[in-house]
Amino acid sequence: MNLNFWQKRDYLKQHGGKELEINQFIVSDFVLSKIVPVLGVRPYPLSELSLMVSAVLWSQPTHIFEWGTHIGCSARIFYETVKYFGLKTSIVTGK
C-alpha cells in the first residue's frame, strides 16, 4: 500500500462538521501498513485501531496521557500515528 498517494491533510473531512469524520481510506491504509505489522490485532481489533487513530487525527491533541495495561500497545499506536502524520503531540505514559 502506498500511503504517499494521499496528501497529509486529506485525512480530515473538509465540510465544517463537528463530528468525528475522518477519511477512512487513509486511516485503513495507515493501520494495515504501519500498525498491524508492529502490533497485530490483539488486544485491539481493526475497528478499535481505526477509532484510536481517527480520534487522534480529528482532535489533534497537544498531549496524550496514557496509563493502560502497562504493555505499551496503545502508547505505541498513538506514537506511530503522531509520528507518521506529523502532529505536534506529546505522549505521556504511566508505568
Side-chain angles (χ1 to χ4, degrees):
M1 282 175 221
N2 183 4
L3 294 178
N4 294 328
F5 173 79
W6 303 101
Q7 297 293 322
K8 284 252 181 186
R9 303 297 289 177
D10 281 349
Y11 57 80
L12 291 174
K13 299 275 183 158
Q14 301 294 327
H15 58 74
K18 299 212 183 284
E19 289 78 25
L20 189 145
E21 294 187 79
I22 299 292
N23 186 324
Q24 286 299 307
F25 290 112
I26 294 171
V27 170
S28 296
D29 287 347
F30 170 71
V31 167
L32 290 175
S33 68
K34 300 292 184 184
I35 302 296
V36 171
V38 174
L39 298 174
V41 291
R42 300 283 191 277
Y44 303 111
L46 291 173
S47 59
E48 288 184 29
L49 293 171
S50 293
L51 178 60
M52 293 170 77
V53 171
S54 295
V56 170
L57 292 177
W58 183 79
S59 63
Q60 298 187 13
T62 57
H63 294 81
I64 295 174
F65 297 93
E66 187 281 326
W67 59 88
T69 59
H70 308 296
I71 58 174
C73 286
S74 56
R76 181 69 185 263
I77 294 162
F78 295 138
Y79 168 78
E80 294 294 339
T81 301
V82 166
K83 178 180 154 190
Y84 181 81
F85 289 98
L87 302 179
K88 296 187 185 321
T89 303
S90 296
I91 301 168
V92 179
T93 63
K95 183 169 187 230

